[in-house]
Amino acid sequence: MNRAQEKEALLWGLVGVTLFAATLPMTRLAVGSTDAPQLSPWFVTFGRAAVAGLLSIGYLLWQHAQGRLNRPARAEWPLLGITAFGVIVGFPLFLALALRHVPSTHGAVVTALLPLSTALLGALWYRQRPSAGFWACAVLGSGLVLGFMVWRAGGLYLGAANIYLLIAMTTGALGYIGGARLTPRLGAEQVICWVLVCSLPLTLPVAWWFAPAVPSRIAAMSWAGFLYVALFSMWIGFFAWYRALALGAVRVSQIQLIQPFLSLLFAVPLLGEHLDAVTLVFAVAVIATVFIGKRMPVHTAQRPAT
């Protein structure tokens, strides 16, 4: 990859990470708080996927007209289902449920461990052997996140919101791995579109069921948050991010480390949240652990001799 391609990859990667970073505060805007609830977390989750799914139909039709459409093979449908479970349902639903109860700055610290969780699940999926240093970073990063949650909870009882965040992180990592296995043949952009389109029989009726009875009673900023996560977090952000990875995955993947910092910064003007020293210190520590962990070797498992 030459210098011009590297710059283009880094630029698209920065665009994608910036769009994804606003997901937490925008989701918080959409669902509101326990004191002032707005849209249902279930509507936000399935509604955003339904909107992006309808847009994906148009994109896939355009790809077909251009002669560039790649259709999933029969053997790939289980992976499409796994990807949909992770990125369409699991991660956004449990994130939305959690953010009804905790600030988005809190969620940013917990989900900062997502890249390392994805690498760990990927190593297990592909039957690879992470090095001792990788395992040490995984344990340390998990300990930091749990310590942060215990600190905020004021005791060993973590509460439902923190459990939701852990589930969101795990299912999100699973969805990323499924999508990564589909990308080489289907193409990065078409993977998310096929996942969204195939999920429409579920997302459309569930979104309709949980839609607000009187939309005018929902604050305009909540609708703005919903539109953002539907258009950018669920669709356009993936286009920029996948294009960046296609140009240079190794270098671009490091840009994801700044995503939690951007989420913390966005939460201040968008939500008026206070960024305290404890949150910032834990965020820096977790991100440093992820940075070191992603540089640790992961070896391919040796097959037994026959």
Side-chain angles (χ1 to χ4, degrees):
M1 183 172 62
N2 58 41
R3 185 172 295 275
Q5 289 176 319
E6 182 177 347
K7 288 183 178 179
E8 183 182 358
L10 293 175
L11 177 61
W12 281 115
L14 184 60
V15 171
V17 164
T18 303
L19 294 177
F20 287 145
T23 298
L24 273 76
M26 286 299 185
T27 301
R28 172 76 171 184
L29 273 178
V31 301
S33 63
T34 53
D35 297 329
Q38 295 294 320
L39 293 168
S40 164
W42 293 83
F43 172 76
V44 172
T45 297
F46 291 93
R48 79 180 205 167
V51 171
L54 294 174
L55 293 172
S56 295
I57 292 176
Y59 178 81
L60 292 176
L61 289 174
W62 178 68
Q63 289 289 292
H64 177 70
Q66 299 294 316
R68 297 197 295 261
L69 182 65
N70 300 316
R71 293 180 173 84
R74 179 178 299 179
E76 292 171 327
W77 285 101
L79 277 177
L80 282 171
I82 291 172
T83 306
F85 172 74
V87 303
I88 305 298
V89 179
F91 181 79
L93 175 60
F94 287 100
L95 181 66
L97 289 170
L99 291 178
R100 176 67 70 82
H101 302 280
V102 296
S104 65
T105 52
H106 181 103
V109 174
V110 178
T111 56
L113 202 59
L114 182 57
L116 196 58
S117 301
T118 303
L120 177 58
L121 287 181
L124 296 175
W125 185 306
Y126 291 107
R127 298 181 180 179
Q128 297 171 327
R129 294 185 296 106
S131 63
F134 181 93
W135 283 112
C137 290
V139 172
L140 177 59
S142 301
L144 286 169
V145 168
L146 289 174
F148 174 75
M149 292 189 296
V150 169
W151 181 291
R152 287 303 188 200
L156 294 179
Y157 175 70
L158 296 179
N162 285 317
I163 301 300
Y164 290 152
L165 287 172
L166 292 175
I167 297 175
M169 186 173 59
T170 304
T171 53
L174 186 64
Y176 289 163
I177 296 167
R181 294 198 63 179
L182 290 166
T183 295
R185 200 191 73 82
L186 294 180
E189 294 90 346
Q190 291 192 31
V191 167
I192 188 61
C193 286
W194 277 115
V195 169
L196 287 162
V197 170
C198 294
S199 301
L200 281 173
L202 171 67
T203 57
L204 275 174
V206 176
W208 176 82
W209 182 263
F210 286 99
V214 185
S216 60
R217 293 182 180 177
I218 303 298
M221 288 301 294
S222 295
W223 282 115
F226 170 77
L227 290 176
Y228 183 92
V229 297
L231 295 177
F232 295 99
S233 303
M234 195 77 264
W235 203 54
I236 297 175
F238 279 99
F239 280 60
W241 181 244
Y242 283 152
R243 176 172 294 191
L245 291 178
L247 290 169
V250 176
R251 291 294 302 276
V252 169
S253 63
Q254 299 301 319
I255 300 178
Q256 197 175 20
L257 296 173
I258 69 172
Q259 184 173 322
F261 285 117
L262 293 176
S263 294
L264 293 172
L265 294 177
F266 287 151
V268 176
L270 290 173
L271 301 171
E273 293 183 3
H274 176 63
L275 184 57
D276 58 86
V278 172
T279 300
L280 188 58
V281 167
F282 270 98
V284 171
V286 172
I287 293 168
T289 304
V290 173
F291 176 77
I292 297 171
K294 291 186 71 175
R295 290 177 172 268
M296 292 294 174
V298 176
H299 309 286
T300 302
Q302 298 293 326
R303 294 182 179 178
T306 57

